[in-house]
């Protein structure tokens, strides 16, 4: 059974930082793409960032220069470092495993999702 356990969400002031983690089990992590998506109330789930098995990354435009996705295959974990957070970043953030990057503008989601972790940016 594939299990994805997320952690690191919480409440932060505008301009602050958070680091999300997603630990995977039941899957060969090193050969799978990984990513983060988010969903705000009343909105569709959207791409935050993805990273391929080879380390190639793609970021959605609002996150460029502020967020960094990385992976540690020895720990079967993907991370999302979030800096300069804004109120519009408030959402539930979901880890996703098994996707692929086809180009800078074309990517597919994987079949496996974490439980989601709430990120709230508010003064």
């Amino acid at each position: 059974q594939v299990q994805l356990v997320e952690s690191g969400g919480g409440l932060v002031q505008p301009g602050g930082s958070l680091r999300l983690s997603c630990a995977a089990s039941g899957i060969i992590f090193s050969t799978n793409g990984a990513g983060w998506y988010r969903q705000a109330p009343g909105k569709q789930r959207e791409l935050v960032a993805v990273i391929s098995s080879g380390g190639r990354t793609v970021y959605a435009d609002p996150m460029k220069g502020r967020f960094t996705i990385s992976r540690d295959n020895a720990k079967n974990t993907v991370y999302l470092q979030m800096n300069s957070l804004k109120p519009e970043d408030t959402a539930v953030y979901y880890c996703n495993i098994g996707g692929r990057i086809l180009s800078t503008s074309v990517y597919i989601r994987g079949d496996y999702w974490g439980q989601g972790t709430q990120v709230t940016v508010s003064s």
Side-chain angles (χ1 to χ4, degrees):
Q1 184 78 29
V2 176
Q3 299 286 338
L4 306 179
V5 180
E6 299 181 32
S7 62
L11 175 65
V12 66
Q13 299 289 321
S17 298
L18 286 173
R19 191 190 195 200
L20 307 184
S21 298
C22 175
S25 62
I27 191 171
I28 303 175
F29 181 80
S30 63
T31 62
N32 279 273
W36 293 91
Y37 293 75
R38 70 185 186 186
Q39 188 166 21
K43 297 185 178 181
Q44 296 184 26
R45 191 169 298 187
E46 65 177 351
L47 171 75
V48 175
V50 291
I51 183 168
S52 74
S53 61
R56 183 169 54 176
T57 58
V58 174
Y59 297 89
D61 285 341
M63 295 79 181
K64 290 180 179 178
R66 300 190 298 125
F67 292 8
T68 303
I69 188 171
S70 62
R71 63 191 298 159
D72 186 339
N73 289 339
K75 297 181 178 180
N76 288 352
T77 300
V78 60
Y79 304 95
L80 183 69
Q81 178 67 47
M82 304 185 292
N83 299 323
S84 301
L85 284 162
K86 305 174 181 179
E88 50 263 45
D89 295 319
T90 296
V92 177
Y93 284 70
Y94 296 92
C95 175
N96 177 255
I97 303 295
R100 293 195 64 185
I101 300 171
L102 303 182
S103 71
T104 56
S105 60
V106 181
Y107 36 85
I108 56 175
R109 300 180 181 184
D111 292 334
Y112 307 108
W113 294 92
Q115 80 280 5
T117 185
Q118 177 71 47
V119 172
T120 302
V121 185
S122 177
S123 60

